[in-house]
Amino acid sequence: MKTFSDRLKHARVLRQHTQKTLARACGLSQSTISTYENGVRRSSRSFRKIANVLRVELDWLETGKGPMEKRETYSLADATGAHTLRESDGPDSKPAPAWPFPSVSPLLINALSASDRRELEKWLRMTVDGYLRAYGESKKGKRRGG
C-alpha cells in the first residue's frame, strides 16, 4: 500500500470498523475519516488517535514503514471513555487494572452509541448476576450434600 489513504482504509476494514464507528471511537466526524481515505485531507493532528483505535503503528500508518501491527495492553482507563492508550503517570503510579476481555477492545465498546452501551451494560450485568447466582447455588448444594 503506497498511500496513507490506502493504509487507513486497509486497517479500518481489517479491524471491522465502518467510517462512522472509527470516527466515533476517535472523536472525529465520519466526513473527516472519508476525506482521509479519499486523499483530500492530510492533517496529522488526528493520526495518533486513529492509529491507537486501529491498533496499528503510527509510523506504518503515516509512512508505510515498519510493522503494521501494534502490540497493546488494554486497561480500564481505555474502557471509561479515553480514546488513547494510558501510560504510567510516573515512577510512583500504580498500573491500571487489566482490561478483562482480551478479544474485545475497549475502543470498540466506546464506538457504540451511548444507548447501545447502556443496553450492553444491562445485558452484561444480568449475565454476570446469573453466573454468580449459579455459582453460589452450586456451592450451597455441595455443602449440604457433603
Side-chain angles (χ1 to χ4, degrees), residues 134-146:
Y135 177 75
E137 290 169 9
S138 72
K139 287 285 201 187
K140 287 177 188 176
K142 287 182 182 178
R143 275 190 241 139
R144 287 184 195 147

Side-chain angles (χ1 to χ4, degrees), residues 34-54:
S34 177
T35 56
Y36 286 149
E37 287 188 5
N38 292 327
V40 174
R41 186 175 188 180
R42 179 113 169 106
S43 165
S44 63
R45 291 185 320 178
S46 303
F47 292 174
R48 185 171 305 279
K49 287 182 196 175
I50 294 169
N52 282 337
V53 169
L54 294 174

